């Protein structure tokens, strides 16, 4: 673990723990709720894609898929790397969130991985929405350090891992587009995928 990451963790988590109660409560809620926000955005993109071409629908369908794939890869990396949480390693550290139990490893951050993958996937579906969600992804990743459950390098690695995995979306969408066009030719497929 880089020393600078531990120092930054202590500064950021300490700042979080000493913040006003309303900020601490918001931090705990927001750090968990952001995953739901990404799900809602994916739902909106799917709904809008129903009126668009098959290629747009392919990107909308695959966005959540690559995000779940990124999460799965993050879990594998966590199991191989097995870095303990900073709230346990660095001694008596005041944090906003409770320290996850032993075996719930720190590196990389699953929340940040999901955020990175979702931001890139959403950007492929809509550039303006992607810019907003990229800012949200950065805040989601930073919130994990703020509430005291991750080192800064955990969230940077998670963001990068998610973003890299989400780059499979465009070629996968090109492969899926003809199948979506065929499914849209049938009444049930058109109801689900537009057309």
């Amino acid at each position: 673990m880089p020393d600078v990451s531990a120092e930054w963790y202590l500064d950021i988590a300490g700042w979080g723990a000493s913040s006003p109660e309303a900020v601490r409560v918001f931090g705990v809620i927001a750090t968990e709720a952001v995953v739901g926000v990404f799900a809602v955005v994916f739902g909106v993109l799917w709904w809008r894609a129903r009126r668009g071409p098959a290629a747009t629908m392919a990107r909308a369908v695959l966005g959540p898929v690559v995000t779940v794939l990124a999460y799965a890869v993050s879990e594998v990396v966590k199991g191989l790397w097995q870095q303990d949480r900073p709230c346990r390693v660095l001694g008596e550290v005041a944090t906003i969130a409770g320290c996850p139990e032993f075996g719930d490893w720190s590196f990389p951050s699953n929340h940040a991985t999901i955020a990175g993958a979702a931001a890139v996937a959403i950007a492929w579906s809509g550039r303006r929405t992607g810019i907003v969600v990229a800012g949200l992804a950065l805040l989601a990743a930073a919130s994990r350090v703020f509430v005291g459950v991750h080192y800064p390098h955990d969230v940077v690695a998670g963001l990068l891992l998610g973003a890299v995995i989400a780059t499979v979306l465009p070629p996968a969408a090109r492969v899926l587009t003809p199948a979506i066009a065929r499914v849209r030719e049938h009444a049930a497929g058109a109801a689900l995928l537009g057309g």
Side-chain angles (χ1 to χ4, degrees):
M1 172 210 20
D3 288 341
V4 69
S5 191
E7 291 172 18
W8 287 357
Y9 167 81
L10 291 170
D11 289 343
I12 296 166
W15 176 53
S18 65
S19 61
E21 183 177 357
V23 173
R24 293 192 311 266
V25 169
F26 177 77
V28 168
I29 293 169
T31 197
E32 297 298 336
V34 72
V35 174
V37 171
F38 294 131
V40 168
V41 173
F42 280 133
V44 168
L45 290 174
W46 165 79
W47 185 257
R48 288 182 181 168
R50 293 174 74 242
R51 295 186 303 262
T56 302
M57 178 53 77
R59 287 191 302 273
V61 166
L62 289 172
V65 173
V66 298
T67 302
V68 170
L69 174 64
Y71 168 77
V73 171
S74 176
E75 279 293 301
V76 170
V77 172
K78 276 178 177 270
L80 295 172
W81 200 272
Q82 295 188 354
Q83 175 184 286
D84 206 359
R85 299 278 179 161
C87 42
R88 202 174 350 275
V89 172
L90 298 176
E92 295 288 324
V93 179
T95 61
I96 294 174
C99 196
E101 63 187 52
F102 182 77
D104 185 354
W105 307 113
S106 185
F107 181 86
S109 163
N110 283 340
H111 283 73
T113 302
I114 290 167
V120 171
I122 290 167
W124 287 113
S125 291
R127 203 164 270 160
R128 282 184 285 173
T129 306
I131 291 169
V132 172
V133 172
L136 182 61
L138 293 173
L139 288 173
S143 76
R144 303 305 288 164
V145 181
F146 182 77
V147 300
V149 295
H150 280 290
Y151 292 105
H153 72 272
D154 296 340
V155 299
V156 170
L159 282 170
L160 292 174
L161 177 63
V164 166
I165 290 171
T167 62
V168 304
L169 191 139
R174 283 191 291 279
V175 170
L176 185 61
T177 297
I180 287 180
R182 284 191 302 276
V183 169
R184 282 179 160 185
E185 293 172 0
H186 305 286
L192 181 62
L193 301 177

